[in-house]
Amino acid sequence: MTANVPDSLIPYDEIVQEALRAVVGRVLDQVAESGALPGAHHFYITFRTRAPGVDIPDRLIERFPEEMTIVIQHRFWDLTVDDERFSVGLSFNQIPSTLVIPFAAITGFHDPAVNFELRFQAAEEPDGPDPHDEAENDGPAAEPIEDGSNVVAVDFKRKK
């Protein structure tokens, strides 16, 4: 019955990804407004270092040419958030740095204090990714395990 379902002309995948990235923005905005993280909350934010709009020091791009995870916990400053991106000051090897990260570049957000996690598809660049052969070690996708956690996995590439 579902074999004859046509491709959607409405970009649902993009709409949902954008809405979930807005969750990250709202959380960061609350922290920016209060000036501190509440309780034991802290964030691991993974992003594509070469995504459009990312502005980080060259030494970090050299060290993390594809993807990087930052931790917002004890030592951060100047957290600012707008509708498209956030900016934060962090130290790397005791060198202070300002990072500007568009929400579209984020591939993961995790708050271990409450076991909350979001995973995103990286926003593709205008021409899309370079063509490549299928990975030989990829098997069928595993079914999610219902363990009662607050992890939200978003997989938009699979057809149902």
Side-chain angles (χ1 to χ4, degrees), residues 73-93:
Q73 187 171 13
H74 299 297
R75 294 183 177 177
F76 68 94
W77 59 90
D78 295 338
L79 177 62
T80 59
V81 181
D82 67 30
D83 291 340
E84 302 292 322
R85 69 195 55 80
F86 73 96
S87 173
V88 66
L90 296 170
S91 286
F92 299 90
N93 294 327

Side-chain angles (χ1 to χ4, degrees), residues 68-136:
M68 177 180 186
T69 300
I70 59 172
V71 180
I72 297 179
Q73 187 171 13
H74 299 297
R75 294 183 177 177
F76 68 94
W77 59 90
D78 295 338
L79 177 62
T80 59
V81 181
D82 67 30
D83 291 340
E84 302 292 322
R85 69 195 55 80
F86 73 96
S87 173
V88 66
L90 296 170
S91 286
F92 299 90
N93 294 327
Q94 300 180 347
I95 301 171
S97 304
T98 299
L99 289 75
V100 178
I101 303 166
F103 295 118
I106 295 174
T107 59
F109 175 85
H110 183 213
D111 182 348
V114 292
N115 198 25
F116 179 80
E117 184 171 7
L118 294 171
R119 293 283 170 200
F120 305 102
Q121 298 291 326
E124 293 182 3
E125 296 187 22
D127 294 336
D130 293 335
H132 60 83
D133 294 333
E134 290 297 317
E136 294 177 9

Side-chain angles (χ1 to χ4, degrees), residues 12-35:
Y12 288 113
D13 299 351
E14 293 173 24
I15 293 168
V16 171
Q17 291 265 330
E18 193 174 302
L20 290 173
R21 282 188 170 100
V23 171
V24 176
R26 186 169 173 185
V27 168
L28 291 175
D29 192 45
Q30 287 179 357
V31 171
E33 286 180 8
S34 71

Side-chain angles (χ1 to χ4, degrees), residues 27-48:
V27 168
L28 291 175
D29 192 45
Q30 287 179 357
V31 171
E33 286 180 8
S34 71
L37 289 159
H41 290 278
H42 57 289
F43 313 129
Y44 290 85
I45 301 172
T46 304
F47 64 97
R48 305 288 292 175

